[in-house]
Amino acid sequence: MTTISERTSPAERFQAIIDADEKVEPSDWMPEGYRKTLIRQIAQHAHSEVIGMQPEGNWITRAPTLERKAILIAKVQDEAGHGLYLYSAAETLGVTRDELVELLHTGRQKYSSIFNYPTLTWADIGAIGWLVDGAAITNQVMLTRTSYGPYARAMVRICKEESFHQRQGYEIMLRLCNGTPEQKAMAQDAVNRWWWPALMMFGPHDSESTHTSQSMEWKIKRISNDDLRQHFVDMTVPQAEYLGLTLPDPELRWNPERGHYDFGEIDWDEFWRVVNGHGPMNRDRLEHKIRAWEDGEWVRDAAAAYAEKQQARRAASRTGG
Ligand SMILES: [Fe+2]
Ligand SMILES: [Fe+2]
């Protein structure tokens, strides 16, 4: 008896996996475009997790209480972990982490533009957790069902941690909004600055998005940018109302016919300006990242030397030497 897999070509087998909603694994044949798209996307995602540590790390020494400091340290550390899972997922596609880091440092790969905005007050830490991690989860829940196995599995764990991040951000906002008028004003100011950048996180309109249709066919991406953005708006407006905060969009209103909130147009000039490296913090973020990489060289060298020594010792004990 011949099985289907013996008669079909690798390309047909790949398509059968996609059609059956099963996972493509590192040992499976895959089209070169699929591999390249995933490397680009997972790397960009990993870089974002690591660069995203900067705007919040900036507030660790200034957190208002010891408890807030401990929570923020844990959150920033989680983001480093997310970067690690994602670099590992990318490595299963035949690239090394060093290569990807090099591409980031030389500006040939990007990270999410959201991290090119500054964190000016403590309320920004609340707004980031609530809105930025909230937008990230909206995008990432979809990715737990992405067609590439190692990426999907990394996202399951990341999403659990992100939902904690989102809640701690919302809790900071809640505390500020129930505080003094100055604290509430600080929360409102943070939302005014973070609302539109958070909406930009979903990327260009579907009609302008160069990668969307192929990625949807490969089931890397399962929901379009505009649908995800709408879902995020619908979810977030009632949360803002509960806080007693205004979202900075005069066109935002419930549309009973659509069963969704209508909202205004993103400033696409600003969107592309930041994507192309001219956001308020692009240069600082990359310079800081490169400096941290260079400063950490001795740690990487020491870890590699230690691993080598351990390996030699184990080999010697196996041969009885
Ligand atoms: Fe994360
Ligand atoms: Fe997060």
Side-chain angles (χ1 to χ4, degrees):
M1 192 185 99
T2 41
T3 63
I4 292 169
S5 65
E6 280 165 8
R7 282 188 274 114
T8 50
S9 69
E12 285 169 326
R13 275 203 297 278
F14 171 82
Q15 195 55 49
I17 292 173
I18 300 294
D19 292 344
D21 264 342
E22 283 168 13
K23 298 290 178 229
V24 177
E25 295 298 337
S27 54
D28 292 327
W29 181 91
M30 62 190 83
E32 215 25 51
Y34 180 84
R35 184 191 303 276
K36 288 223 170 84
T37 300
L38 276 167
I39 290 174
R40 182 181 47 76
Q41 181 174 331
I42 300 174
Q44 177 166 333
H45 193 162
H47 300 327
S48 303
E49 300 284 356
V50 172
I51 297 275
M53 295 166 75
Q54 290 184 44
E56 289 178 289
N58 189 29
W59 276 89
I60 288 174
T61 55
R62 292 178 285 167
T65 65
L66 183 60
E67 189 192 11
R68 290 290 182 200
K69 194 193 289 273
I71 294 169
L72 187 58
I73 289 172
K75 186 206 188 249
V76 171
Q77 190 173 300
D78 282 353
E79 306 300 4
H82 299 173
L84 182 63
Y85 312 152
L86 288 163
Y87 284 124
S88 302
E91 283 185 314
T92 65
L93 292 157
V95 282
T96 67
R97 188 164 148 188
D98 282 357
E99 284 168 337
L100 298 178
V101 168
E102 172 73 14
L103 289 169
L104 172 66
H105 290 179
T106 51
R108 285 173 292 162
Q109 276 181 347
K110 291 192 191 304
Y111 56 88
S112 175
S113 284
I114 192 75
F115 303 118
N116 291 317
Y117 292 87
T119 40
L120 304 179
T121 71
W122 173 251
D124 288 22
I125 301 306
I128 287 180
W130 173 35
L131 299 174
V132 175
D133 289 273
I137 299 169
T138 306
N139 202 24
Q140 291 172 356
V141 165
M142 159 188 82
L143 291 172
T144 62
R145 296 187 295 121
T146 194
S147 58
Y148 188 57
Y151 192 22
R153 290 188 288 273
M155 292 320 302
V156 171
R157 183 156 171 193
I158 289 175
C159 281
K160 285 183 187 160
E161 294 178 351
E162 292 300 354
S163 69
F164 162 74
H165 297 171
Q166 198 264 356
R167 276 180 245 175
Q168 68 85 35
Y170 193 72
E171 210 266 327
I172 290 176
M173 297 307 273
L174 198 58
R175 198 68 83 82
L176 291 173
C177 289
N178 290 322
T180 64
E182 287 82 1
Q183 285 174 315
K184 179 142 190 203
M186 194 164 83
Q188 181 64 61
D189 170 65
V191 168
N192 292 348
R193 285 180 291 106
W194 288 96
W195 174 248
W196 288 106
L199 292 191
M200 291 177 196
M201 287 173 70
F202 297 97
H205 279 310
D206 299 340
S207 52
E208 312 281 317
S209 176
T210 40
H211 304 295
T212 290
S213 68
Q214 180 63 74
S215 285
M216 297 276 275
E217 273 169 42
W218 279 329
K219 296 185 182 171
I220 293 174
K221 197 173 167 61
R222 315 202 57 145
I223 308 173
S224 76
N225 294 355
D226 286 326
D227 288 350
L228 287 168
R229 188 162 22 233
Q230 180 72 62
H231 178 74
F232 174 73
V233 171
D234 291 347
M235 184 179 75
T236 309
V237 174
Q239 296 172 351
E241 283 169 359
Y242 186 78
L243 292 171
L245 295 176
T246 312
L247 296 172
D249 178 358
E251 291 174 52
L252 186 71
R253 66 180 57 86
W254 178 250
N255 181 331
E257 273 145 54
R258 292 202 309 122
H260 293 289
Y261 284 93
D262 289 338
F263 54 98
E265 196 59 52
I266 284 170
D267 179 348
W268 294 107
D269 290 337
E270 177 183 332
F271 174 89
W272 289 113
R273 212 166 41 241
V274 182
V275 167
N276 291 321
H278 307 295
M281 300 298 285
N282 290 56
R283 268 195 47 197
D284 285 56
R285 298 291 186 239
L286 207 53
E287 278 172 14
H288 182 97
K289 172 72 179 68
I290 293 168
R291 198 164 54 243
W293 178 257
E294 285 167 357
D295 288 350
E297 192 176 358
W298 69 273
V299 181
R300 294 191 297 279
D301 289 349
Y306 180 76
E308 237 167 73
K309 220 184 257 179
Q310 291 293 99
Q311 211 170 10
R313 209 168 284 166
R314 271 196 303 275
S317 72
R318 268 200 301 275
T319 55

CSV table of all heavy atoms in Angstrom, one decimal, residues 261-289:
chain,number,residue,atom,x,y,z
A,261,TYR,N,-17.4,50.1,16.8
A,261,TYR,CA,-17.1,51.6,16.9
A,261,TYR,C,-16.5,52.1,15.6
A,261,TYR,O,-15.6,51.4,15.0
A,261,TYR,CB,-16.1,51.8,18.1
A,261,TYR,CG,-16.7,51.7,19.4
A,261,TYR,CD1,-16.7,50.6,20.2
A,261,TYR,CD2,-17.4,52.9,20.0
A,261,TYR,CE1,-17.3,50.5,21.4
A,261,TYR,CE2,-18.0,52.8,21.3
A,261,TYR,CZ,-17.9,51.6,22.0
A,261,TYR,OH,-18.5,51.5,23.2
A,262,ASP,N,-17.0,53.2,15.2
A,262,ASP,CA,-16.3,53.9,14.1
A,262,ASP,C,-15.2,54.8,14.7
A,262,ASP,O,-15.3,55.2,15.9
A,262,ASP,CB,-17.3,54.9,13.4
A,262,ASP,CG,-18.3,54.2,12.6
A,262,ASP,OD1,-18.1,53.0,12.2
A,262,ASP,OD2,-19.4,54.8,12.3
A,263,PHE,N,-14.1,54.9,14.0
A,263,PHE,CA,-13.0,55.8,14.5
A,263,PHE,C,-12.3,56.5,13.4
A,263,PHE,O,-12.5,56.2,12.2
A,263,PHE,CB,-12.1,55.0,15.4
A,263,PHE,CG,-11.5,53.8,14.7
A,263,PHE,CD1,-10.2,53.8,14.1
A,263,PHE,CD2,-12.2,52.6,14.7
A,263,PHE,CE1,-9.6,52.7,13.5
A,263,PHE,CE2,-11.6,51.4,14.1
A,263,PHE,CZ,-10.3,51.5,13.5
A,264,GLY,N,-11.6,57.6,13.8
A,264,GLY,CA,-10.9,58.4,12.8
A,264,GLY,C,-9.8,57.8,12.1
A,264,GLY,O,-9.3,56.7,12.4
A,265,GLU,N,-9.2,58.5,11.2
A,265,GLU,CA,-8.1,58.0,10.3
A,265,GLU,C,-6.8,58.3,11.1
A,265,GLU,O,-6.5,59.3,11.7
A,265,GLU,CB,-8.1,58.7,9.0
A,265,GLU,CG,-7.3,58.1,7.9
A,265,GLU,CD,-7.7,56.6,7.6
A,265,GLU,OE1,-8.9,56.4,7.4
A,265,GLU,OE2,-6.8,55.8,7.6
A,266,ILE,N,-5.9,57.3,11.0
A,266,ILE,CA,-4.6,57.4,11.5
A,266,ILE,C,-3.8,58.5,10.7
A,266,ILE,O,-4.0,58.6,9.5
A,266,ILE,CB,-3.9,56.0,11.5
A,266,ILE,CG1,-4.4,55.1,12.6
A,266,ILE,CG2,-2.4,56.1,11.5
A,266,ILE,CD1,-4.0,53.7,12.5
A,267,ASP,N,-2.9,59.2,11.4
A,267,ASP,CA,-2.0,60.1,10.6
A,267,ASP,C,-0.9,59.2,10.0
A,267,ASP,O,0.1,58.9,10.6
A,267,ASP,CB,-1.4,61.1,11.6
A,267,ASP,CG,-0.4,62.0,11.0
A,267,ASP,OD1,0.0,61.8,9.8
A,267,ASP,OD2,0.0,63.0,11.7
A,268,TRP,N,-1.2,58.9,8.7
A,268,TRP,CA,-0.3,58.0,8.0
A,268,TRP,C,1.1,58.6,7.7
A,268,TRP,O,2.1,57.8,7.6
A,268,TRP,CB,-0.9,57.4,6.7
A,268,TRP,CG,-2.1,56.5,7.1
A,268,TRP,CD1,-3.4,56.9,6.9
A,268,TRP,CD2,-2.1,55.3,7.7
A,268,TRP,NE1,-4.2,55.8,7.4
A,268,TRP,CE2,-3.4,54.8,7.9
A,268,TRP,CE3,-1.1,54.4,8.2
A,268,TRP,CZ2,-3.8,53.6,8.5
A,268,TRP,CZ3,-1.4,53.2,8.8
A,268,TRP,CH2,-2.7,52.8,8.9
A,269,ASP,N,1.2,59.9,7.6
A,269,ASP,CA,2.5,60.5,7.4
A,269,ASP,C,3.4,60.3,8.6
A,269,ASP,O,4.5,59.9,8.5
A,269,ASP,CB,2.3,62.1,7.2
A,269,ASP,CG,1.7,62.4,5.9
A,269,ASP,OD1,1.8,61.5,5.0
A,269,ASP,OD2,1.1,63.5,5.8
A,270,GLU,N,2.7,60.4,9.8
A,270,GLU,CA,3.5,60.1,11.0
A,270,GLU,C,3.9,58.6,11.1
A,270,GLU,O,5.0,58.3,11.4
A,270,GLU,CB,2.7,60.5,12.3
A,270,GLU,CG,3.5,60.1,13.6
A,270,GLU,CD,2.7,60.4,14.9
A,270,GLU,OE1,1.8,61.3,14.8
A,270,GLU,OE2,2.9,59.7,15.8
A,271,PHE,N,2.9,57.8,10.7
A,271,PHE,CA,3.2,56.4,10.7
A,271,PHE,C,4.4,56.0,9.9
A,271,PHE,O,5.4,55.4,10.4
A,271,PHE,CB,2.0,55.6,10.1
A,271,PHE,CG,2.1,54.1,10.0
A,271,PHE,CD1,1.9,53.3,11.0
A,271,PHE,CD2,2.6,53.6,8.7
A,271,PHE,CE1,2.0,51.9,10.8
A,271,PHE,CE2,2.8,52.3,8.6
A,271,PHE,CZ,2.5,51.4,9.6
A,272,TRP,N,4.5,56.5,8.7
A,272,TRP,CA,5.6,56.2,7.8
A,272,TRP,C,6.9,56.9,8.2
A,272,TRP,O,8.0,56.3,8.0
A,272,TRP,CB,5.3,56.5,6.3
A,272,TRP,CG,4.2,55.5,5.8
A,272,TRP,CD1,3.0,55.8,5.4
A,272,TRP,CD2,4.4,54.1,5.6
A,272,TRP,NE1,2.3,54.7,5.0
A,272,TRP,CE2,3.2,53.6,5.1
A,272,TRP,CE3,5.5,53.2,5.8
A,272,TRP,CZ2,2.9,52.2,4.9
A,272,TRP,CZ3,5.2,51.8,5.5
A,272,TRP,CH2,4.0,51.4,5.1
A,273,ARG,N,6.8,58.1,8.8
A,273,ARG,CA,8.0,58.8,9.2
A,273,ARG,C,8.6,57.9,10.3
A,273,ARG,O,9.9,57.7,10.3
A,273,ARG,CB,7.5,60.1,9.8
A,273,ARG,CG,8.5,61.2,9.7
A,273,ARG,CD,8.0,62.6,9.9
A,273,ARG,NE,7.1,62.8,11.0
A,273,ARG,CZ,5.8,63.2,10.9
A,273,ARG,NH1,5.3,63.5,9.7
A,273,ARG,NH2,5.0,63.4,12.0
A,274,VAL,N,7.9,57.4,11.2
A,274,VAL,CA,8.5,56.6,12.3
A,274,VAL,C,9.0,55.3,11.8
A,274,VAL,O,10.1,54.9,12.2
A,274,VAL,CB,7.4,56.4,13.5
A,274,VAL,CG1,8.1,55.7,14.7
A,274,VAL,CG2,6.9,57.8,14.0
A,275,VAL,N,8.2,54.6,10.9
A,275,VAL,CA,8.6,53.4,10.4
A,275,VAL,C,10.0,53.6,9.7
A,275,VAL,O,10.9,52.7,9.8
A,275,VAL,CB,7.6,52.8,9.4
A,275,VAL,CG1,8.2,51.7,8.5
A,275,VAL,CG2,6.4,52.3,10.1
A,276,ASN,N,10.1,54.7,9.0
A,276,ASN,CA,11.4,54.9,8.2
A,276,ASN,C,12.5,55.5,9.1
A,276,ASN,O,13.5,56.0,8.5
A,276,ASN,CB,11.1,55.8,7.0
A,276,ASN,CG,10.2,55.0,6.0
A,276,ASN,OD1,10.5,53.8,5.8
A,276,ASN,ND2,9.3,55.6,5.4
A,277,GLY,N,12.4,55.5,10.4
A,277,GLY,CA,13.5,55.8,11.2
A,277,GLY,C,13.5,57.2,11.8
A,277,GLY,O,14.5,57.6,12.4
A,278,HIS,N,12.4,58.0,11.6
A,278,HIS,CA,12.5,59.4,12.0
A,278,HIS,C,11.5,59.7,13.2
A,278,HIS,O,11.0,60.8,13.3
A,278,HIS,CB,12.2,60.3,10.8
A,278,HIS,CG,13.1,60.1,9.7
A,278,HIS,ND1,14.5,60.3,9.7
A,278,HIS,CD2,12.9,59.6,8.4
A,278,HIS,CE1,15.0,59.9,8.6
A,278,HIS,NE2,14.1,59.5,7.8
A,279,GLY,N,11.3,58.7,14.0
A,279,GLY,CA,10.4,58.9,15.2
A,279,GLY,C,11.3,59.6,16.3
A,279,GLY,O,12.5,59.7,16.1
A,280,PRO,N,10.6,60.0,17.3
A,280,PRO,CA,11.3,60.8,18.4
A,280,PRO,C,12.5,60.0,19.0
A,280,PRO,O,13.4,60.6,19.4
A,280,PRO,CB,10.2,61.0,19.4
A,280,PRO,CG,8.9,60.6,18.9
A,280,PRO,CD,9.1,59.9,17.6
A,281,MET,N,12.4,58.7,19.1
A,281,MET,CA,13.5,58.0,19.8
A,281,MET,C,14.2,56.9,19.0
A,281,MET,O,15.0,56.2,19.5
A,281,MET,CB,12.8,57.2,21.0
A,281,MET,CG,12.1,58.2,22.0
A,281,MET,SD,13.2,59.3,22.8
A,281,MET,CE,14.1,58.3,23.9
A,282,ASN,N,14.0,56.9,17.7
A,282,ASN,CA,14.6,55.8,16.9
A,282,ASN,C,16.1,55.7,17.1
A,282,ASN,O,16.7,54.6,17.4
A,282,ASN,CB,14.4,56.0,15.4
A,282,ASN,CG,13.0,55.8,14.9
A,282,ASN,OD1,12.1,56.4,15.4
A,282,ASN,ND2,12.8,54.9,14.0
A,283,ARG,N,16.8,56.8,17.0
A,283,ARG,CA,18.3,56.8,17.1
A,283,ARG,C,18.8,56.3,18.5
A,283,ARG,O,19.6,55.5,18.7
A,283,ARG,CB,18.9,58.2,16.8
A,283,ARG,CG,19.2,58.3,15.4
A,283,ARG,CD,20.1,59.5,15.1
A,283,ARG,NE,21.2,59.6,16.0
A,283,ARG,CZ,22.0,60.7,16.2
A,283,ARG,NH1,21.7,61.8,15.6
A,283,ARG,NH2,23.0,60.7,17.0
A,284,ASP,N,18.1,56.9,19.6
A,284,ASP,CA,18.5,56.5,20.9
A,284,ASP,C,18.3,55.0,21.2
A,284,ASP,O,19.2,54.4,21.8
A,284,ASP,CB,17.5,57.2,21.9
A,284,ASP,CG,17.9,58.7,22.1
A,284,ASP,OD1,17.9,59.4,21.0
A,284,ASP,OD2,18.1,59.1,23.2
A,285,ARG,N,17.2,54.5,20.7
A,285,ARG,CA,16.9,53.1,21.0
A,285,ARG,C,18.0,52.2,20.4
A,285,ARG,O,18.4,51.3,21.0
A,285,ARG,CB,15.5,52.7,20.4
A,285,ARG,CG,14.3,53.4,21.0
A,285,ARG,CD,14.0,53.1,22.5
A,285,ARG,NE,12.8,53.7,22.9
A,285,ARG,CZ,12.8,54.5,24.0
A,285,ARG,NH1,13.8,54.8,24.7
A,285,ARG,NH2,11.6,55.1,24.3
A,286,LEU,N,18.3,52.5,19.1
A,286,LEU,CA,19.3,51.6,18.5
A,286,LEU,C,20.7,51.8,19.1
A,286,LEU,O,21.4,50.8,19.3
A,286,LEU,CB,19.3,51.9,17.0
A,286,LEU,CG,19.7,50.7,16.1
A,286,LEU,CD1,18.9,49.5,16.4
A,286,LEU,CD2,19.5,51.1,14.6
A,287,GLU,N,21.0,53.0,19.4
A,287,GLU,CA,22.4,53.3,20.0
A,287,GLU,C,22.5,52.6,21.3
A,287,GLU,O,23.5,51.9,21.6
A,287,GLU,CB,22.6,54.8,20.2
A,287,GLU,CG,23.1,55.5,18.9
A,287,GLU,CD,23.1,57.0,19.0
A,287,GLU,OE1,23.0,57.5,20.2
A,287,GLU,OE2,23.2,57.7,18.0
A,288,HIS,N,21.4,52.7,22.1
A,288,HIS,CA,21.4,52.0,23.4
A,288,HIS,C,21.6,50.5,23.3
A,288,HIS,O,22.3,49.9,24.0
A,288,HIS,CB,20.1,52.3,24.2
A,288,HIS,CG,20.1,51.8,25.5
A,288,HIS,ND1,20.4,52.5,26.7
A,288,HIS,CD2,19.7,50.5,26.0
A,288,HIS,CE1,20.2,51.7,27.7
A,288,HIS,NE2,19.8,50.5,27.3
A,289,LYS,N,20.8,49.9,22.3
A,289,LYS,CA,20.8,48.5,22.0
A,289,LYS,C,22.3,48.0,21.7
A,289,LYS,O,22.8,47.0,22.2
A,289,LYS,CB,19.8,48.1,20.9
A,289,LYS,CG,19.9,46.7,20.5
A,289,LYS,CD,19.3,45.7,21.5
A,289,LYS,CE,19.3,44.3,21.0
A,289,LYS,NZ,20.7,43.8,20.8
